[in-house]
Amino acid sequence: MSLEERMRSAVAALLHAAGESQTELAAALGVSQAQVSRRQSGTAAWSLADCEAVAAHYGITAHDLLAGPTRAVEALPAERRRVPGRPAAGARSAPVEGKI
């Protein structure tokens, strides 16, 4: 796995583990959701400055981030993890029958 692939995989794993959306990550980084999407799809590259910003956002080191998804999620502080049973950020709840 290339370093770029590890970065994309780690970001995807952190988004999931933290229950965040690309939109929320983009806001934290000061970029658009489309820019995060392009970086995650591989049509644009994550820069070293991006790596530092993503790592800081999640409270981990750039080394943990670049080591790959397993290490990145293991390093994620407990307070940044999604609470089990709480829907991920941006998730829509099922409609309640009889309610509009």
Side-chain angles (χ1 to χ4, degrees):
M1 181 182 295
S2 72
L3 188 57
E4 184 66 31
E5 291 168 329
R6 262 188 275 164
M7 175 68 181
R8 288 194 308 266
S9 294
V11 170
L14 288 166
L15 285 168
H16 178 75
E20 287 186 334
S21 66
Q22 285 186 356
T23 301
E24 290 168 310
L25 177 59
L29 299 178
V31 299
S32 70
Q33 181 278 326
Q35 289 173 302
V36 171
S37 179
R38 284 192 294 275
R39 290 170 181 146
Q40 281 301 95
S41 70
T43 58
W46 288 101
S47 70
L48 289 176
D50 293 331
C51 292
E52 290 177 336
V54 170
H57 173 68
Y58 286 111
I60 64 174
T61 68
H63 179 75
D64 288 332
L65 177 65
L66 295 173
T70 302
R71 175 104 171 249
V73 171
E74 287 172 349
L76 186 65
E79 63 270 9
R80 295 288 286 129
R81 294 176 186 272
R82 175 176 47 179
V83 175
R86 185 182 78 203
R92 295 184 180 170
S93 59
V96 177
E97 194 163 322
K99 301 272 183 172
I100 296 179

